[in-house]
Amino acid sequence: MNAFGKQHELPFRVAAAEIVGEQALHQHLEYCAGFFDGDGCATAERQGGRCKLLVGQTASSGEALIMFARLFGGAVYATARGKGLRRPMVLWQLTGQPCSVAASILARHPSLKRRQLQLLAAWPRVPLRTVAVQQLQELNKSSPEPEDILCTWSYLAGFFDAEGCISVPAAGKCRVILSIGQKQKSALVSIQSFLDKEFPEYPSHLRHDGKMWSLTCEQTDFSRRVLRHLMLSGLLVKRNSAEAALSLHSSNHPTVRAKLAVFNGNQSKSKRLDESGCSRARQISAAQASLGYFRSVGRSERVELLQTRIKQMKDCHNILNTEAQLSNLRRTIRSMLGTGCVAT
């Protein structure tokens, strides 16, 4: 597992004497509450009813899991090997009485999963656990109200580390876009309300695509101000991505996109545009802007010429993108084979 620029052997445990005290817990409580709302799970075993706190991450981004281990105890384990473009996964786990203690601490901050944490904090003995397990399952299916969540900068830093995304579009102006996706919108409504109060001059956008809710900051000045506040408030997992995004200007656009591609996950790796692809995308975008102008002034002959040109540009763009994706796939396969992966 990689964290803080070092490799850590798994399972990763912190000795009882090294677990930090109450003061450090207070300093990091809001961040941990936000991160747990994003990637954490309060659950219990079916047999025996032993309660558990779980937080999962990719093995290349273990900073938050090490923080949880140092604050609350428990251990970080490997849970899934990498396969194809899927990265290896790791999991922080805490069970039994230490789990109840940690849950009682995390429940101090009003959060998305506060009711589940409060239930684990008062987890009953064996004879009464069947009812408690059923209550926990019902709570995990329920949707809290936005008013149940207290959004602060530290809470948002944790939540963004877990669920946020920093992106720089390939075409158009040099822009930094921040986005957070969730199946339920309660946390996003609370975060949007918080950002509206902090930056009333900038709009954020809450949308639903039929499957997921997303909250986005689409103005670069807005995104940069938010990132600076998040970094001051304890941003860990996405700190390198934030630093890269804050350095963006017109002359280093391809470099910043390349850095973000390394820091981000592999879900869209094969679809990301390289430097040449970004240049072609900008040319197509400029041609489309010209097309819109000539349509508005009634220059039909220029409109026809531009439509033909744009179609040719798009066809060429698609072919070259496919070639680049195949080349990238070959490099990925060679790299994986070089690290000991085997074909199955």
Side-chain angles (χ1 to χ4, degrees), residues 215-336:
L215 178 66
T216 57
C217 304
E218 299 174 0
Q219 295 184 36
T220 298
D221 288 344
F222 185 19
S223 297
R224 283 175 168 161
R225 293 183 69 178
V226 171
L227 285 176
R228 291 189 185 102
H229 276 80
L230 294 179
M231 292 179 69
L232 290 172
S233 302
L235 194 72
L236 277 178
V237 178
K238 293 184 170 64
R239 177 169 288 270
N240 290 335
S241 296
E243 290 173 347
L246 288 172
S247 72
L248 177 70
H249 51 81
S250 57
S251 64
N252 70 351
H253 177 266
T255 303
V256 170
R257 276 181 52 84
K259 287 182 179 179
L260 291 177
V262 172
F263 298 139
N264 293 339
N266 288 336
Q267 293 92 333
S268 301
K269 183 176 181 179
S270 62
K271 298 179 182 179
R272 292 179 188 137
L273 297 181
D274 57 14
E275 184 173 351
S276 298
C278 290
S279 177
R280 292 192 301 271
R282 287 193 292 270
Q283 291 171 7
I284 293 172
S285 180
Q288 289 173 329
S290 297
L291 176 63
Y293 168 75
F294 286 118
R295 273 179 175 160
S296 67
V297 297
R299 297 282 299 276
S300 58
E301 73 285 356
R302 293 300 301 271
V303 168
E304 291 179 5
L305 288 172
L306 276 172
Q307 285 177 330
T308 302
R309 182 186 172 198
I310 289 172
K311 183 180 183 306
Q312 293 171 344
M313 293 170 71
K314 286 184 175 180
D315 290 343
C316 179
H317 185 53
N318 290 333
I319 292 171
L320 293 175
N321 284 345
T322 301
E323 291 177 351
Q325 289 167 11
L326 289 172
S327 177
N328 185 41
L329 181 59
R330 292 190 186 100
R331 284 196 300 271
T332 301
I333 292 172
R334 287 196 295 269
S335 174
M336 293 173 68

Side-chain angles (χ1 to χ4, degrees), residues 14-133:
V14 177
E18 297 177 11
I19 297 176
V20 299
E22 183 70 21
Q23 183 177 358
L25 279 172
H26 179 73
Q27 291 174 350
H28 299 293
L29 173 61
E30 293 176 2
Y31 174 92
C32 289
F35 198 93
F36 191 83
D37 269 357
D39 274 345
C41 177
T43 186
E45 296 176 349
R46 290 184 178 180
Q47 293 184 346
R50 186 173 59 163
C51 60
K52 292 182 180 181
L53 290 177
L54 308 173
V55 182
Q57 278 285 281
T58 60
S60 59
S61 306
E63 291 85 356
L65 303 195
I66 286 182
M67 173 184 279
F68 272 83
R70 287 175 175 165
L71 291 173
F72 304 111
V76 181
Y77 302 93
T79 57
R81 298 179 63 183
K83 183 177 181 181
L85 293 178
R86 287 182 294 179
R87 295 181 176 181
M89 298 296 296
V90 291
L91 182 77
W92 171 75
Q93 178 174 300
L94 187 64
T95 60
Q97 182 59 27
C99 167
S100 294
V101 173
S104 68
I105 295 170
L106 287 170
R108 295 174 189 172
H109 186 83
S111 62
L112 191 68
K113 296 172 181 170
R114 190 183 197 184
R115 288 184 293 173
Q116 292 94 313
L117 292 168
Q118 289 173 333
L119 179 58
L120 262 63
W123 200 246
R125 295 183 180 274
V126 175
L128 302 175
R129 285 182 180 175
T130 302
V131 175
V133 171

